[in-house]
């Protein structure tokens, strides 16, 4: 049974991260913030469920490296 969702909104720091990532011309992947995509990846093969703030589908290693480099900035330390 899926537990009742308390908050389906993403926090402002994740919005900021998304906008920076989307504005990078070399980023070719997808960023999903819709609730359906987030619920889809919220469970693994266990009893635990943690709904992420967003889902990133990188297309290549450059996308992964770009995400990591942005996340290393001090303002994103809580992510």
């Amino acid at each position: 049974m899926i537990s009742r969702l308390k908050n389906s909104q993403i926090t402002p720091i994740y919005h900021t991260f998304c906008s920076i990532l989307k504005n990078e011309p070399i980023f070719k992947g997808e960023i999903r913030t819709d609730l359906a995509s987030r619920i889809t990846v919220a469970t693994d093969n266990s009893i635990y469920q943690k709904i992420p703030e967003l889902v990133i589908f990188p297309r290549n290693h450059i996308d992964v490296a770009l995400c990591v480099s942005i996340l290393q900035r001090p303002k994103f330390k809580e992510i």
Side-chain angles (χ1 to χ4, degrees), residues 30-42:
E30 290 183 50
I31 304 169
R32 303 253 180 101
T33 58
D34 61 288
L35 188 57
S37 295
R38 293 166 48 210
I39 288 175
T40 302
V41 299

Side-chain angles (χ1 to χ4, degrees), residues 9-42:
Q9 300 293 325
I10 67 172
T11 55
I13 192 74
Y14 287 89
H15 277 291
T16 304
F17 172 74
C18 284
S19 64
I20 290 172
L21 190 57
K22 285 178 185 177
N23 289 327
E24 287 289 338
I26 61 171
F27 183 72
K28 304 296 182 205
E30 290 183 50
I31 304 169
R32 303 253 180 101
T33 58
D34 61 288
L35 188 57
S37 295
R38 293 166 48 210
I39 288 175
T40 302
V41 299

Side-chain angles (χ1 to χ4, degrees), residues 30-68:
E30 290 183 50
I31 304 169
R32 303 253 180 101
T33 58
D34 61 288
L35 188 57
S37 295
R38 293 166 48 210
I39 288 175
T40 302
V41 299
T43 58
D44 55 13
N45 198 18
S46 68
I47 62 170
Y48 301 105
Q49 181 181 44
K50 175 77 172 139
I51 298 175
E53 296 275 340
L54 56 92
V55 182
I56 298 174
F57 297 101
R59 294 237 172 137
N60 52 41
H61 69 282
I62 295 169
D63 288 350
V64 175
L66 182 61
C67 288
V68 172

